[in-house]
């Protein structure tokens, strides 16, 4: 995964507006507040709640 650091600084979770953590192993951006993981496909973050994976236990 190769994302521009400037882009990562401005991206927030579209559901709750919290900052996102990078999960390189799964190619995802993770919101720890609402427990959603947004996929990164071909180095493009897919910032759609409908496309996010739930991290709920």
């Amino acid at each position: 995964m190769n994302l521009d650091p400037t882009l990562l600084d401005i991206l927030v979770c579209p559901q709750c507006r919290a900052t996102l953590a990078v999960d390189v192993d799964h190619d995802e951006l993770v919101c720890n507040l609402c427990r959603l993981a947004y996929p990164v496909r071909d180095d493009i973050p897919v910032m759609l709640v409908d496309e996010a994976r739930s991290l709920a236990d």
Side-chain angles (χ1 to χ4, degrees):
M1 180 167 53
N2 186 23
L3 295 175
D4 183 354
T6 307
L7 177 63
L8 291 175
D9 286 342
I10 62 172
L11 282 178
V12 294
C13 175
Q15 180 164 292
C16 69
R17 303 289 183 221
T19 58
L20 299 166
V22 177
D23 183 346
V24 178
D25 294 336
H26 294 105
D27 289 331
E28 296 175 326
L29 297 176
V30 177
C31 176
N32 289 315
L33 189 61
C34 63
R35 307 287 297 150
L36 292 175
Y38 297 92
V40 177
R41 298 183 185 128
D42 298 322
D43 293 332
I44 300 170
V46 180
M47 303 305 296
L48 300 170
V49 175
D50 291 343
E51 292 286 324
R53 178 174 68 87
S54 175
L55 300 174
D57 294 331

